[in-house]
Amino acid sequence: MQNPKRIILVGKPNSGKSLLFNQLTGLKQKVANFPGVTVELKSGRFDDFELVDFPGTYSLSSISSDESIAIDQLRLAMQSDTTALIVCNLDGTKMERSLVFALQVQQLAKQSNKSLVFVVNMLDELERFGHQLDIPALSKQLGSPVYGLSAKSLIGVAEFTKALKAHAAFPQDIPIEQVSLDAAQSMSLAKSLASEHGISQDIVLKQQNKIDSFLLNNWLGGAVFIAIMFFLFQSIFTWAAPLMDAVESGVAWGGELAQAILPAGVFSDFVNDAIFGGVGAFLVFVPQIMVLTFIIGVLEDSGYLARAALICHRPLSVFGLSGRSFIPYLSGHACAIPAILAARTIESPRKRLITMVTVPLISCSARLPVYALLIAVLIPSNSYIGGWINLQGAVFFALYFGGIFTALVVSKLLNTWLEKSEQQNDLPFILELPSYRLPHWRPLMYKTFNSAKQFIRRAAPIIFVVSMVIWVLGYFPNNGDLNNSFLATIGQFLEPIFTPIGLDWRYGVAILVSFLAREVFVGVLGTMFAIENAEEDMGGLAAQMQADGFTLASGIALLAFYVIALQCVATVATLKGETSKNRYSWGVFVAYGLLAYALSVVLFAILS
Amino acid sequence: MTLWDMQKNTKATIIGLNDELTKMLRTRLNEMGFVPGEMLTCMRRSPFRGPLVVQIQDCVYSLDQQLAQHIRVSP
């Protein structure tokens, strides 16, 4: 079958473009397949056409390398023969800014000899303010068809859908005027059109300014910010917990089923341990990532996230980061992989790099089981001040704080060091504060499910390969006896490395294996101490370790090691994918490993 | 004076953008509405020399000192 013709959708950020895209295509979307594409383009089916959503840009003249990639893609797509029509989305409440961009797009469409239609979105808000848009007049002045609609309240969407089908089928019916404007002419035309058709800014911004005077208030704003962050943390760790348990039991059930069906032997052990045990273990984090994405999505679509970035900009800039680094750091507490991807929104390449490289130092939830085990072994569950402060809880807090602290210190160091070696021109901080809006469920659902898909797609292959290798090393030559396996031999060989932390080869093996993914530490140690289901029965393992003479000094050294070391192959792979440099992936892996090791040796020497 | 010198709830007119800003950045600022002759309002100042918030035409932007001190304005 012939490839479907494409319709390209472009527009400014925060202009209701994504929602329009979702309304036109439904929830079935995929990442568009463009040759050599590096920016992610969403594409969906619209009638007989493929509708492609380009990322929101302010302008067709690029300012950062990532932006120029997006814009080059747009230029190429516009020139392509398969492109039938261009749809440019305008924010009806911000006519002047939208028109500056729209006129640029119109110029480009003319140069590529492509037909174009304009959509003035957010009509519901204009109506609420009692503003009437003269669409025929605007259409005449712009020289291209104009449609008014609201992707949120669906006013005009049915009419537009019908018109779009007709336009896309017969794009040649739209005249292409051969008038070209230079940048200054475009800007003055945008200004005059906006003053004629646009709504008075004071009316639109009145409500926004009222909310801002509360949320950005020097004192109250800070309190609200902390409250929202607290809520977010609660939700990652408590709301996601039942879902994570469900995935865990689902995977365990699958493993048991496979074992029941398959004849006992190497293959059955392999399926159960390597496939369900190794790959299944990381699926547990999917619900947490979805909950996190959902809440961050709500904050983003409501307009709060821009305010959060503004609030955090000053404190983070002390460490050479941007206010936009805040979101990756926040996401990093669930998992480093979506956090590294979230750094794409940082416009300064330098700050983006520093953010991506330091995100793995934030204590992600995979460290949680390791922290829990070591704390149970080492720290008495004493309560103080009438049960308000628990010693174990306080240690947890200290570990999380230690992660953030290290990330900030490393950022600061990188900032000083990069100044000499990296000549990346830095972009200053400028951020549009969008109007506050009630989020719509469609783009939110899409984002939530897409985050899970992205995570699995990026992490699954590498986790699969590494868990297979580890399984083979741990299984052979004595068919499943870990204590006498290749892995144990390697552990014994490397024992001198772990002696300075006061640990023997069994811990060495558990540490080595947890370079695949930290959370397996507990399971492997359980196998070594012959405790079945160590993840469930952490108390039993803790008692064994205590009886075995595991010292406080070793424990604290080991905790420090886990706070800092980058023990996650999937994160290294993501860093490699995003920076395309070994220096910033494997280099970072080695550097954090050495730092973690040095710190734990020093701590052990001091404490023992 | 520069944009960075503006007090909260005051208005000023943009005079120009300093050459310290790259050509690309100046073009972008023009497109965002920072054009000589344009009127802007300082909506908010943050403590500890944090970013300020300005309204220009139909948009509200937050800028840090590094950028705001290169935008010349007159009250």
Side-chain angles (χ1 to χ4, degrees), chain A residues 59 67 97 104 314 431 433, chain B residues 28 31 48 57 60 62:
Chain A
S59 152
E67 239 178 47
R97 289 279 65 72
Q104 287 183 349
R314 185 63 196 133
L431 185 71
L433 299 182
Chain B
R28 170 56 56 88
E31 285 160 353
F48 309 111
Q57 300 161 357
V60 179
S62 169

Side-chain angles (χ1 to χ4, degrees), chain A residues 410-424:
Chain A
V410 172
S411 298
K412 183 79 189 160
L413 291 174
L414 277 177
N415 195 35
T416 333
W417 173 67
L418 280 178
E419 232 137 31
K420 294 168 201 136
S421 65
E422 295 278 318
Q423 289 298 322
Q424 291 171 318

Side-chain angles (χ1 to χ4, degrees), chain A residues 59 61-63 67 94-97 104 191 201 205 209 213 218 310 313-314 429-431 433, chain B residues 24-25 28 30-33 38 43-44 47-49 51 55 57-64 67:
Chain A
S59 152
S61 56
S62 59
I63 189 160
E67 239 178 47
K94 295 186 175 177
M95 278 306 254
E96 184 168 345
R97 289 279 65 72
Q104 287 183 349
K191 195 165 192 63
Q201 314 132 14
L205 294 175
N209 289 335
S213 65
N218 290 350
L310 163 61
H313 180 71
R314 185 63 196 133
F429 179 76
I430 180 160
L431 185 71
L433 299 182
Chain B
M24 278 194 315
L25 191 55
R28 170 56 56 88
N30 281 334
E31 285 160 353
M32 290 177 102
E38 204 62 64
M43 311 293 293
R44 204 163 299 286
F48 309 111
R49 306 170 78 76
Q55 181 191 331
Q57 300 161 357
D58 45 12
C59 284
V60 179
Y61 296 110
S62 169
L63 297 78
D64 68 354
L67 186 58

Side-chain angles (χ1 to χ4, degrees), chain A residues 393-574:
Chain A
V395 173
F396 257 116
F397 179 80
L399 292 172
Y400 273 92
F401 180 78
I404 299 170
F405 178 77
T406 320
L408 292 176
V409 170
V410 172
S411 298
K412 183 79 189 160
L413 291 174
L414 277 177
N415 195 35
T416 333
W417 173 67
L418 280 178
E419 232 137 31
K420 294 168 201 136
S421 65
E422 295 278 318
Q423 289 298 322
Q424 291 171 318
N425 51 346
D426 202 16
L427 291 173
F429 179 76
I430 180 160
L431 185 71
E432 188 191 342
L433 299 182
S435 308
Y436 288 103
R437 294 205 167 91
L438 212 61
H440 193 280
W441 63 272
R442 260 176 188 267
L444 270 178
M445 280 303 130
Y446 174 75
K447 266 185 216 169
T448 306
F449 284 104
N450 194 45
S451 68
K453 224 166 69 185
Q454 282 258 349
F455 173 71
I456 293 170
R457 212 186 58 197
R458 272 167 196 276
I462 185 117
I463 298 241
F464 176 73
V465 170
V466 181
S467 41
M468 232 159 54
V469 171
I470 300 254
W471 179 83
V472 168
L473 291 176
Y475 193 84
F476 294 108
N478 288 316
N479 280 11
D481 183 6
L482 184 59
N483 280 303
N484 293 302
S485 63
F486 289 130
L487 203 57
T489 315
I490 296 172
Q492 278 152 349
F493 177 71
L494 294 176
E495 196 173 62
I497 297 179
F498 302 103
T499 321
I501 330 175
L503 299 171
D504 62 32
W505 66 271
R506 291 170 302 177
Y507 295 97
V509 167
I511 292 171
L512 279 184
V513 174
S514 62
F515 272 94
L516 150 70
R518 303 161 173 98
E519 62 278 11
V520 298
F521 177 84
V522 177
V524 170
L525 215 53
T527 317
M528 301 290 217
F529 282 94
I531 305 259
E532 285 286 325
N533 291 324
E535 287 94 340
E536 306 292 314
D537 182 22
M538 243 185 228
L541 179 57
Q544 280 265 353
M545 285 167 70
Q546 274 167 335
D548 198 54
F550 184 72
T551 64
L552 183 65
S554 294
I556 290 175
L558 200 53
L559 279 173
F561 184 86
Y562 272 90
V563 168
I564 291 168
L566 205 181
Q567 295 163 293
C568 176
V569 207
T571 300
V572 178
T574 310

